[in-house]
Amino acid sequence: MSMLRGRVPASLMSSVVAPEKPSSNTMGPKEVELILVKEQNGVQFTSSTLVTPTQTQTNPSGEEERETWGKKIDFLLSVIGFAVDLANVWRFPYLCYKNGGGAFLVPYLFFMVIAGMPLFYMELALGQYNREGAAGVWKICPIFKGVGFTVILISLYVGFYYNVIISWALFYLFSSFTSELPWVHCNNTWNSPNCSDWADNSTVNDIHKATPAQEYFERGVLHIQDSGGIDDLGRPRWQLTSCLAVVIVLLYFSLWKGVKTSGKVVWITATMPYVVLTVLLLRGVTLPGAIDGIKAYLSVDFLRLCDAKVWIEAATQICFSLGVGFGVLIAFSSYNKFSNNCYRDAIITSSINSLTSFFSGFVVFSFLGYMSHKHNVALDKVARDGAGLVFVIYPEAIATLPGSSVWAVIFFIMLLTLGIDSAMGGMESVITGLIDEFKFLHKHRELFTLFIVVATFLISLFCVTNGGMYVFTLLDHFAAGTSILFGVLIEAIGIAWFYGVDRFSDDIEEMIGQRPGMYWRLCWKFVSPCFLLFMVVVSFATFNPPNYGSYMFPMWANMVGWCLAISSMTMVPLYAIYKLCTLPGKFCDRLAYAITPETEHHLVDNGEVRQFTLHHWLVV
């Protein structure tokens, strides 16, 4: 008996062969396996079996399917963890107090509605539909791909100094495991003759005096007294270098396998801050003077709304607090399922971010009110923002509580978790953006992630030297200021005007089955770009050179800072010029290809260019 086996498409089978009924849950093309059996008497028999082709993780273009989040909640926690960072604790409450208390919520919520949420929604939808990182998504309008490299560079620059804040928190955490916290008294080796306890009220207003907590941060941790300025950095301090190395290792093992690992890490890093904030609030409101602090935080002074500076600070806070423009939201949403409801995600996560900022104000000002009451000084003498709040004022307040070491450990664990998931988001933006752009890196994600984190660590070493605080201040001032506003402005123009709000709305409808309303489309096309243009102009007009206390940076340092800021912004025109120069044909043809989605280049060959019609520019 001889046997022949072969496979042919089911559609070519002769009608004499009865095909099997496909099971209801089987999708995709089928093959029928024929088995021809030749008996010795010459009679032939045929049998057939439907065979499902082996399922491979490939898409129609032959590339590997994109990894997706293990669970929807992993994505939500990652976005919330990135957006809710240290700025929610050390920036928003002080801005609210300084700019009219509860009245500050009016411009804050106004800009949240007209710009914050629309831009947040736009980035989530952009990444999810195109399933690429910050650079790859610009296949929808190739001439704007430079803005993708802009936001990737900005995220990389921010990582150079943001990880240092986490290493400070880790240093404080280790220092908190003592019976007496090291920032309580002035009798330590790092203290100067200017060290003075808060209890001596006569010296509080003396600018030459410093509290033990302030000297511990500047002299005990940073050792800034051993540096003459940014041109006298000294060597990296081994204690801070060790803490920075631990942070880098944590980041690497959170990111090396992609969203499958980072999505699990955020279950701790994104939820822990809420637990700790609640615990600290329950403790804070029981302290004497806490209610006075909260009243000052919420006191409403509507006259402050007549001050243009209040509105500018509210707009600036919205731009930076939601994390728009860093490429992180695009990277995270690119790992979503295609049909995920990104509209609902945008509303939920942006609202949680703003509510967290508001909630943290109660925690901060309950302790600031306590400090004001304890030392019998005005609240504005203890209220401040930035590193001074979380590394000087807050530790000082905690040090006066019973069981201070326990409260210190709890507080700095919160700072660590607030910082880690935001740092993870920034790194993921860089890694995803570059891996999607340079496909050969896909197979070497672990090695490429290692390269990025090690490079970040080496640059960050400048920030843990004796004069590292000067480098930190310079990076903080220039790395993601005007450049991030510029990046989001170009991004909004590219999507709303060149790609087209109508086409973008069609994409969203294809994903979630619901077209964005007129409100969203008007914001994307007119309101948000005008808002961002205004912010860019204001940012340039109100620029002030950086300083640290009384230290003013030399001219060359400011020039380096501007070079850093401009280096990311120039990616937009440089790539546009490169694209126009490398495309074939006359200038008009090259321009047509450059502003048309790559999937529609065949239409350009036929002379159909949407962007060359008046309808494209007028439709909303």
Side-chain angles (χ1 to χ4, degrees):
M1 182 175 68
S2 62
M3 194 176 289
L4 297 173
R5 286 178 179 263
R7 290 187 180 182
V8 296
S11 58
L12 299 181
M13 281 292 296
S14 169
S15 60
V16 298
V17 179
E20 276 190 18
K21 291 183 179 180
S23 58
S24 59
N25 61 351
T26 305
M27 304 295 292
K30 302 292 184 295
E31 291 177 341
V32 178
E33 185 180 70
L34 290 181
I35 304 175
L36 302 180
V37 184
K38 184 175 181 180
E39 298 290 349
Q40 289 182 348
N41 59 7
V43 179
Q44 293 183 349
F45 299 92
T46 65
S47 65
S48 63
T49 307
L50 271 175
V51 181
T52 303
T54 305
Q55 295 295 320
T56 57
Q57 295 297 310
T58 58
N59 57 27
S61 64
E63 298 173 354
E64 289 188 3
E65 284 286 356
R66 191 171 187 81
E67 182 183 16
T68 57
W69 295 96
K71 296 179 181 178
K72 172 66 175 287
I73 191 67
D74 294 352
F75 164 70
L76 291 176
L77 288 176
S78 295
V79 173
I80 292 169
F82 166 71
V84 177
D85 67 349
L86 293 164
N88 294 72
V89 175
W90 80 13
R91 179 86 176 137
F92 177 85
Y94 179 74
L95 283 178
C96 198
Y97 163 72
K98 189 179 74 169
N99 293 305
F104 181 72
L105 295 176
V106 173
Y108 180 81
L109 292 176
F110 174 72
F111 289 127
M112 174 80 172
V113 169
I114 69 163
M117 279 187 174
L119 293 170
F120 200 91
Y121 181 19
M122 180 184 75
E123 288 205 348
L124 289 185
L126 181 67
Q128 183 173 308
Y129 184 83
N130 294 286
R131 303 181 69 77
E132 298 254 12
V137 293
W138 289 103
K139 58 191 176 186
I140 64 171
C141 191
I143 198 171
F144 282 97
K145 183 178 277 192
V147 76
F149 294 113
T150 293
V151 300
I152 289 171
L153 267 181
I154 291 172
S155 289
L156 187 63
Y157 293 161
V158 169
F160 294 158
Y161 69 91
Y162 195 86
N163 296 335
V164 176
I165 304 174
I166 309 172
S167 67
W168 292 343
L170 188 62
F171 185 92
Y172 268 82
L173 178 63
F174 291 147
S175 301
S176 300
F177 289 100
T178 58
S179 56
E180 183 178 67
L181 295 173
W183 55 83
V184 174
H185 300 300
C186 289
N187 57 356
N188 301 288
T189 55
W190 58 78
N191 289 126
S192 71
N194 291 330
C195 184
S196 175
D197 205 338
W198 270 90
D200 184 2
N201 291 330
S202 62
T203 64
V204 167
N205 296 320
D206 189 341
I207 60 172
H208 298 294
K209 296 295 183 180
T211 64
Q214 183 179 344
E215 289 213 339
Y216 177 73
F217 178 56
E218 294 186 342
R219 300 173 65 87
V221 178
L222 304 180
H223 280 253
I224 203 168
Q225 74 276 10
D226 296 328
S227 170
I230 196 168
D231 48 4
D232 179 27
L233 296 179
R235 294 179 179 178
R237 299 197 58 77
W238 72 266
Q239 298 94 332
L240 288 178
T241 302
S242 302
C243 291
L244 183 61
V246 171
V247 171
I248 292 297
V249 170
L250 284 174
L251 285 175
Y252 175 70
F253 285 107
S254 298
L255 295 168
W256 69 320
K257 292 292 185 182
V259 295
K260 296 297 185 186
T261 52
S262 63
K264 299 298 177 283
V265 174
V266 292
W267 279 78
I268 298 173
T269 58
T271 56
M272 181 66 76
Y274 291 97
V275 175
V276 176
L277 279 172
T278 304
V279 171
L280 288 173
L281 178 62
L282 294 175
R283 181 67 183 100
V285 295
T286 63
L287 298 172
I291 301 302
D292 294 331
I294 292 174
K295 285 180 179 177
Y297 170 54
L298 295 177
S299 62
V300 178
D301 181 7
F302 284 110
L303 292 177
R304 293 303 309 278
L305 297 182
C306 299
D307 186 354
K309 187 178 180 182
V310 173
W311 291 80
I312 291 172
E313 291 198 337
T316 305
Q317 179 64 14
I318 278 295
C319 285
F320 296 115
S321 66
L322 288 177
V324 175
F326 289 92
V328 179
L329 301 178
I330 295 174
F332 280 164
S333 62
S334 72
Y335 295 109
N336 275 333
K337 294 178 180 176
F338 185 78
S339 59
N340 175 65
N341 192 336
C342 54
Y343 170 68
R344 183 176 56 200
D345 294 346
I347 300 297
I348 291 173
T349 50
S350 58
S351 299
I352 288 176
N353 176 71
S354 295
L355 288 172
T356 304
S357 296
F358 186 61
F359 175 65
S360 67
F362 290 92
V363 182
V364 170
F365 274 86
S366 64
F367 277 86
L368 291 179
Y370 164 66
M371 288 291 288
S372 173
H373 175 272
K374 182 175 179 63
H375 299 297
N376 194 28
V377 295
L379 188 66
D380 59 2
K381 297 293 183 185
V382 294
R384 66 174 77 176
D385 64 346
L389 173 66
V390 296
F391 293 112
V392 177
I393 300 297
Y394 228 95
E396 188 167 20
I398 289 172
T400 64
L401 302 177
S404 56
S405 295
V406 175
W407 291 109
V409 168
I410 291 173
F411 176 72
F412 289 113
I413 285 177
M414 180 190 75
L415 290 190
L416 272 175
T417 53
L418 276 173
I420 283 287
D421 46 19
S422 296
M424 283 167 52
M427 288 279 190
E428 187 62 58
S429 170
V430 176
I431 294 166
T432 296
L434 294 177
I435 282 180
D436 285 344
E437 183 60 22
F438 305 102
K439 302 296 185 183
F440 69 92
L441 294 173
H442 265 291
K443 297 179 181 179
H444 309 287
R445 181 185 170 103
E446 292 90 344
L447 282 175
F448 182 63
T449 302
L450 181 64
F451 170 76
I452 292 293
V453 297
V454 169
T456 302
F457 171 74
L458 294 176
I459 300 295
S460 299
L461 288 177
F462 287 102
C463 295
V464 294
T465 57
N466 294 332
M469 190 60 178
Y470 302 122
V471 180
F472 175 92
T473 303
L474 196 71
L475 287 171
D476 186 36
H477 200 81
F478 287 102
T482 305
S483 53
I484 196 76
L485 297 172
F486 172 80
V488 185
L489 170 63
I490 302 301
E491 186 179 282
I493 291 172
I495 293 171
W497 287 90
F498 283 81
Y499 183 58
V501 164
D502 56 333
R503 181 66 183 272
F504 188 56
S505 299
D506 291 341
D507 295 346
I508 293 174
E509 186 177 17
E510 186 182 343
M511 288 190 294
I512 67 177
Q514 179 182 342
R515 191 175 177 82
M518 181 60 71
Y519 163 75
W520 298 102
R521 301 201 302 274
L522 286 173
C523 283
W524 288 330
K525 186 142 189 173
F526 300 109
V527 181
S528 295
C530 289
F531 165 80
L532 290 164
L533 180 61
F534 168 76
M535 288 306 303
V536 170
V537 173
V538 167
S539 178
F540 276 110
T542 60
F543 172 78
N544 289 312
N547 66 283
Y548 182 73
S550 59
Y551 178 80
M552 300 302 295
F553 285 81
M555 180 61 72
W556 69 264
N558 284 306
M559 294 300 294
V560 169
W562 273 114
C563 288
L564 190 75
I566 293 171
S567 67
S568 57
M569 291 189 280
T570 52
M571 290 292 106
V572 175
L574 287 179
Y575 188 87
I577 293 169
Y578 160 78
K579 195 68 180 176
L580 289 172
C581 290
T582 54
L583 287 169
K586 299 178 181 179
F587 178 78
C588 286
D589 295 331
R590 293 200 297 261
L591 181 62
Y593 282 113
I595 63 177
T596 302
E598 292 178 358
T599 55
E600 296 180 2
H601 278 185
H602 63 283
L603 297 178
V604 179
D605 297 335
N606 299 327
E608 300 175 29
V609 184
R610 286 187 300 118
Q611 290 83 350
F612 287 176
T613 63
L614 184 62
H615 173 76
H616 170 80
W617 298 98
L618 296 180
V619 70
V620 177

